[in-house]
């Protein structure tokens, strides 16, 4: 039975459709990340799961039970907000126990649960403090702890790391991963940060304009993006996408050609795909500078900028009239102004239909086909 199932969820605000027909199901104990750019409908979706906003259409099931008509408190889900929403006048201890005391839980039981959670989140020494006497990371842990004392069926989190600096963000991610393992509960986590998704999620739903573009494990989303949108959203820098034309040559190989682009791919037999407008996708780490007389698949252009990241370098090149990023160990061997040839291995080439943006598969035995 799915822990959380969304069945044809739609939410409109007047003329705006914030969420358009979203269906997905998470297994128990999944760490589900709802990922997408600002305005794609992530928060609206999470608020509907929490019961803070009714859907215009569709059903929400928790552990197989239809909770769509139920108010938040009857769903047994815990929401952790971006701004923590702690009570400023209460101590950490009372903030943690607040949810239980309004449910008239006994004092001893509250103390036991609060101590348990404080221990798990390393808050024991802070129990007497007020929220304003805590750091951002500590407040974050109190907000989580307050959700945890209730032992809910799932945790719903809206950008909980967005107020933390880079270093604290990284360490809080590790804490959330180990917490998820210890609690053995479903997490649903909203973010626009693809690193959050890659590092913490067991499943990612990538949203665009209120629809799911792709739903899968983080590696699937990174290695086989279902659309040019997903490809361009994941990775830093994201996948390079270059307009090109697809055809077959006299040896029946697939040829992708465009300004500065000449990539031929193994392809035996099958139907002739004919000329087709595509986007050629290559990740920055899959482009390698090679000598100009290289004969294999390559992009040709000029180096604009080389950025030093310490252990790696990122070079920005001009290929035709497109910007292309390359990423590699330092020194990458490129200097601004250089003419450059960048090799790519056929297995690292992604193709997308230019008009729809959907991924094309090009098995060696087949003509490219749209992924269903
Ligand atoms: P962000 O990352 O910026 O928080 P988001 O992906 O969470 O974005 P939502 O907040 O879910 O996006 O908003 C989705 C769309 O719905 C946006 O176009 C937004 O303007 C619209 N929207 C959200 N809430 C309301 C509302 N109460 N009234 C009208 N439009 C709304």
């Amino acid at each position: 039975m799915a822990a959380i199932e969304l069945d044809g969820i739609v939410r409109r605000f007047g003329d705006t459709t914030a969420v358009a027909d979203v269906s997905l199901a998470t297994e128990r104990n999944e760490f589900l990340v709802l990922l997408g750019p600002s305005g794609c409908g992530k928060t609206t979706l999470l608020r509907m799961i929490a019961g803070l906003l009714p859907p215009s259409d569709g059903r929400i099931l928790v552990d197989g039970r239809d909770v769509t008509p139920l108010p938040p408190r009857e769903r047994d889900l815990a929401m952790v907000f971006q701004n923590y929403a702690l009570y400023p006048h209460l101590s950490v201890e009372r903030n943690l126990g607040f949810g239980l005391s309004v449910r008239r839980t006994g004092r001893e039981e509250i103390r036991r649960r609060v101590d348990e959670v404080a221990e798990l989140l390393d808050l024991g020494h802070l129990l007497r403090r007020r929220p304003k006497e805590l750091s951002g990371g500590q407040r974050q842990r109190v907000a989580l702890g307050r959700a945890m004392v209730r032992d809910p069926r799932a945790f719903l989190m809206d950008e909980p790391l967005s107020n933390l600096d880079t270093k604290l963000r990284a360490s809080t991610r590790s804490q959330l991963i180990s917490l998820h393992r210890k609690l053995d509960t479903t997490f649903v986590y909203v973010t626009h940060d693809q690193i959050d998704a890659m590092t913490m999620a067991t499943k990612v739903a990538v949203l665009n304009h209120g629809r799911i573009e792709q739903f899968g494990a983080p590696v699937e989303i990174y290695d086989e993006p279902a659309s040019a949108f997903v490809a361009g959203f994941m990775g830093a820098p994201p996948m390079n996408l270059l307009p090109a034309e697809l055809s077959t040559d006299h040896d029946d190989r697939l040829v992708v050609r465009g300004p500065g682009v000449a990539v031929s791919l193994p392809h035996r037999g099958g139907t002739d795909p004919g000329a087709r407008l595509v986007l050629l996708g290559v990740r920055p780490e899959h482009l390698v500078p090679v000598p100009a007389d290289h004969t294999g698949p390559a992009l040709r252009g000029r180096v604009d900028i080389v950025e030093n990241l310490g252990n790696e370098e990122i070079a920005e090149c001009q290929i035709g009239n497109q910007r292309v990023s390359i990423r590699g160990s330092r020194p990458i061997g490129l200097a601004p102004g250089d003419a450059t040839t960048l090799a790519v291995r056929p297995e690292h080439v992604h193709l997308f239909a230019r008009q729809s943006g959907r991924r094309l598969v090009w098995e060696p035995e087949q003509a490219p086909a749209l992924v269903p």
Side-chain angles (χ1 to χ4, degrees):
M1 189 195 312
I4 294 179
E5 188 177 349
L6 307 179
D7 177 18
I9 294 293
V10 177
R11 174 68 209 204
R12 294 182 208 92
F13 294 105
D15 291 344
T16 310
T17 302
V19 173
D21 196 14
V22 165
S23 294
L24 62 80
T26 61
E27 297 301 317
R28 276 210 74 75
N29 309 339
E30 203 90 75
F31 197 135
L32 167 68
V33 169
L34 304 176
L35 177 71
S38 181
C40 71
K42 316 177 284 290
T43 298
T44 303
L45 197 53
L46 195 74
R47 288 170 61 80
M48 287 191 282
I49 299 172
L52 299 169
L53 192 70
S56 310
D57 207 350
R59 292 186 316 152
I60 298 160
L61 293 95
V62 176
D63 289 336
R65 182 171 69 128
D66 186 350
V67 299
T68 324
L70 299 184
R73 66 179 179 283
E74 287 175 34
R75 297 188 178 200
D76 206 7
L77 306 171
M79 182 102 171
V80 182
F81 292 94
Q82 192 173 37
N83 55 6
Y84 315 135
L86 299 178
Y87 299 108
H89 57 291
L90 297 183
S91 65
V92 167
E93 184 173 12
R94 294 200 50 210
N95 262 288
L96 289 175
F98 191 82
L100 293 180
S101 54
V102 294
R103 282 180 171 71
R104 301 183 190 283
T105 309
R107 284 227 331 244
E108 275 313 301
E109 174 65 7
I110 295 180
R111 179 177 298 261
R112 193 185 63 76
R113 291 292 299 146
V114 167
D115 285 349
E116 220 174 77
V117 164
E119 159 93 35
L120 206 59
L121 292 173
D122 193 21
L123 291 170
H125 58 298
L126 303 172
L127 289 174
R128 304 264 159 266
R129 295 210 196 157
R130 302 258 168 102
K132 69 170 190 297
E133 298 161 333
L134 302 175
S135 71
Q138 291 164 340
R139 271 180 227 164
Q140 171 61 58
R141 300 212 300 279
V142 178
L144 255 175
R146 203 172 51 174
M148 279 162 57
V149 291
R150 285 176 32 210
D151 202 11
R153 281 171 198 266
F155 290 93
L156 311 179
M157 305 186 197
D158 191 356
E159 305 250 11
L161 309 187
S162 61
N163 296 335
L164 307 183
D165 65 37
T166 314
K167 204 165 152 208
L168 199 52
R169 226 179 142 101
S171 67
T172 312
R173 277 188 198 116
S174 318
Q175 284 170 2
L176 278 176
I177 294 168
S178 72
L179 196 63
H180 175 246
R181 282 205 199 107
K182 277 188 212 148
L183 293 175
D184 219 19
T185 311
T186 311
F187 281 28
V188 184
Y189 184 105
V190 158
T191 184
H192 63 271
D193 183 341
Q194 46 106 17
I195 299 174
D196 283 357
M198 284 306 294
T199 51
M200 296 189 289
T202 56
K203 284 279 169 59
V204 182
V206 184
L207 291 164
N208 183 21
H209 294 306
R211 289 183 193 279
I212 295 184
E213 286 268 334
Q214 189 168 4
F215 180 53
V219 281
E220 283 166 34
I221 301 230
Y222 192 84
D223 292 345
E224 287 180 33
S227 65
F229 173 83
V230 176
F233 196 73
M234 298 296 281
M239 187 183 284
N240 297 299
L241 295 166
L242 297 118
E245 237 173 77
L246 182 68
S247 57
T248 43
D249 69 6
H250 47 272
D251 291 332
D252 235 0
R253 290 169 69 84
L254 285 177
V255 182
V256 189
R257 277 208 192 84
V261 176
V263 171
S264 103
L265 304 168
H267 164 71
R268 280 173 283 132
T271 39
D272 182 351
R276 198 194 286 242
L277 299 180
V278 294
L279 290 170
L280 169 87
V282 191
R283 293 232 173 254
E285 63 270 30
H286 291 149
L287 285 168
V288 183
V290 288
D293 58 1
H294 174 82
T295 52
L299 311 182
R300 288 185 165 78
R302 196 161 290 283
V303 182
D304 269 346
I305 304 167
V306 180
E307 273 181 307
N308 178 359
L309 303 183
N311 59 338
E312 288 190 320
E313 281 181 331
I314 294 179
E316 299 286 339
C317 301
Q318 193 75 23
I319 308 287
N321 54 8
Q322 300 292 310
R323 290 285 273 205
V324 165
S325 311
I326 319 158
R327 181 177 188 143
S329 304
R330 187 166 65 100
I332 201 166
L334 295 173
D338 283 358
T340 185
T341 302
L342 304 169
V344 55
R345 302 226 308 257
E347 64 269 31
H348 291 147
V349 168
H350 303 256
L351 295 175
F352 303 95
R354 206 179 313 167
Q355 200 166 11
S356 67
R358 303 308 295 173
R359 181 183 189 79
L360 295 163
V361 286
W362 49 277
E363 298 299 331
E365 303 293 340
Q366 294 169 359
L370 270 178
V371 177

